[in-house]
C-alpha cells in the first residue's frame, strides 16, 4: 500500500471496485478477456489475434503517453467500439457471483470507515454489474451511490466522474466537499489516483483487498 497527499480533514472516500474491494485474479482477467473474445467473434478474429491487438495497442499507447495505462473502455473506442457498446457488453458477458463471495473482513473494515467518512464507488463498469459485485461481497449497504461507466458515459480517468462523485456525496451530507477533503482508493495509479492527486485529493494505492483490512485513514 502507498499513500499520497493525504488530507488533514478527509470527508469522502472514493473507492474503485475491481481488484480493490476484492482480490480475484481469475475474475479480473475474465472481465477483460470476455470482452476481447467477444470483440474477436464479432470481427472474424481468433481470440489470440484480438488479445495481441489489444496488447500491441496498450504497448504503443504507453510509449506515446509517458508509460501511462489506458482503460479497456477507452482502448476499445480506438477500435470503433463505443462506450455505449462497452456498457452493454459489460452487463452481459460476466457474472460477479460466479467468482466472488461475502467478505466478512471487508465488511468489518467498511463498517468502521462508514462511521467516520462518506463513501462512494467510482468504477469503469456500468452501475448494474458494479452493484452485483458489491452484493456478492456483502458490501452493497455501505455504498448508496455508484458512479459507473453509464453514469457519465466516460471511462476513468476523468475529472467529470470525480466531480460527479463529489456532487452526489454533497447531496447526501448537505455540505460542501472540496478536493482536499477526498481520498481516492484504487489498484491502478494511472487510472484511479493520478488525476485525483493532481486535483488535490489524497490517494491510496492498494494491491488488493488485503491492503484495506483494518486500514487507518
Amino acid at each position: 500500500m502507498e499513500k499520497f497527499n493525504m488530507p488533514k480533514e478527509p470527508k469522502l472516500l472514493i473507492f474503485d471496485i475491481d481488484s480493490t474491494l476484492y482480490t480475484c485474479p481469475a475474475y479480473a482477467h475474465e472481465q477483460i478477456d470476455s470482452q476481447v473474445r467477444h470483440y474477436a467473434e464479432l470481427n472474424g478474429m481468433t481470440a489470440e489475434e484480438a488479445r495481441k491487438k489489444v496488447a500491441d495497442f496498450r504497448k504503443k499507447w504507453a510509449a506515446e503517453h509517458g508509460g501511462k495505462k489506458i482503460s479497456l473502455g477507452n482502448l476499445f473506442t480506438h477500435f470503433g467500439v463505443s462506450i455505449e457498446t462497452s456498457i452493454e457488453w459489460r452487463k452481459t458477458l460476466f457474472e460477479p457471483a460466479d467468482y466472488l463471495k461475502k467478505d466478512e473482513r471487508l465488511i468489518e473494515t467498511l463498517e468502521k470507515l462508514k462511521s467516520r467518512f462518506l463513501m462512494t464507488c467510482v468504477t469503469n463498469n456500468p452501475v448494474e454489474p458494479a452493484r452485483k459485485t458489491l452484493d456478492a461481497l456483502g458490501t452493497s449497504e455501505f455504498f448508496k451511490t455508484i458512479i459507473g461507466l453509464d453514469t457519465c458515459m466516460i471511462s476513468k480517468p476523468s475529472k467529470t466522474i470525480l466531480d460527479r462523485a463529489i456532487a452526489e456525496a454533497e447531496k447526501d451530507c448537505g455540505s460542501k466537499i472540496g478536493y482536499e477533503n477526498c481520498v481516492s482508493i484504487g489498484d491502478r495509479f494511472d487510472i484511479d489516483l493520478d488525476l485525483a492527486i493532481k486535483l488535490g485529493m489524497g490517494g491510496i494505492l492498494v494491491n488488493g483487498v488485503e491492503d484495506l483490512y483494518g486500514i487507518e485513514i
Side-chain angles (χ1 to χ4, degrees), residues 47-159:
E48 283 304 317
E49 287 171 340
R51 291 181 187 119
K52 184 178 186 304
K53 183 175 181 178
V54 169
D56 288 348
F57 186 91
R58 288 191 186 280
K59 184 177 180 180
K60 182 174 182 290
W61 174 272
E64 294 174 350
H65 294 81
K68 291 185 177 182
K69 297 178 181 178
I70 185 172
S71 71
L72 187 63
N74 283 336
L75 181 154
F76 268 137
T77 64
H78 292 269
F79 295 174
V81 179
S82 67
I83 291 293
E84 290 83 358
T85 298
S86 288
I87 288 167
E88 293 309 310
W89 288 3
R90 290 166 185 254
K91 287 180 178 179
T92 60
L93 292 178
F94 46 82
E95 177 56 56
D98 291 342
Y99 293 86
L100 306 176
K101 61 182 180 180
K102 190 173 184 179
D103 186 337
E104 296 291 353
R105 292 185 67 187
L106 178 60
I107 292 169
E108 180 181 350
T109 296
L110 293 177
E111 283 179 340
K112 292 178 179 179
L113 293 176
K114 189 71 171 180
S115 68
R116 299 175 55 207
F117 307 106
L118 297 165
M119 301 196 304
T120 191
C121 285
V122 171
T123 175
N124 276 345
N125 267 325
V127 171
E128 182 181 325
R131 182 61 71 184
K132 287 181 178 180
T133 297
L134 297 181
D135 288 342
L137 296 171
T139 60
S140 200
E141 66 181 283
F142 300 108
F143 301 102
K144 176 182 176 182
T145 302
I146 298 172
I147 309 300
L149 186 61
D150 49 349
T151 304
C152 300
M153 307 305 289
I154 307 172
S155 185
K156 294 189 291 182
S158 165
K159 181 177 179 295

Side-chain angles (χ1 to χ4, degrees), residues 138-209:
T139 60
S140 200
E141 66 181 283
F142 300 108
F143 301 102
K144 176 182 176 182
T145 302
I146 298 172
I147 309 300
L149 186 61
D150 49 349
T151 304
C152 300
M153 307 305 289
I154 307 172
S155 185
K156 294 189 291 182
S158 165
K159 181 177 179 295
T160 298
I161 293 172
L162 294 173
D163 287 345
R164 179 65 176 270
I166 292 173
E168 293 297 327
E170 288 177 337
K171 289 179 185 178
D172 290 338
C173 70
S175 61
K176 182 71 175 176
I177 300 172
Y179 293 133
E180 71 277 7
N181 304 125
C182 301
V183 180
S184 182
I185 304 170
D187 66 299
R188 298 176 295 177
F189 185 87
D190 292 341
I191 307 298
D192 301 316
L193 302 188
D194 188 34
L195 176 60
I197 293 168
K198 288 176 178 175
L199 290 172
M201 296 184 185
I204 300 178
L205 182 66
V206 300
N207 292 314
V209 71

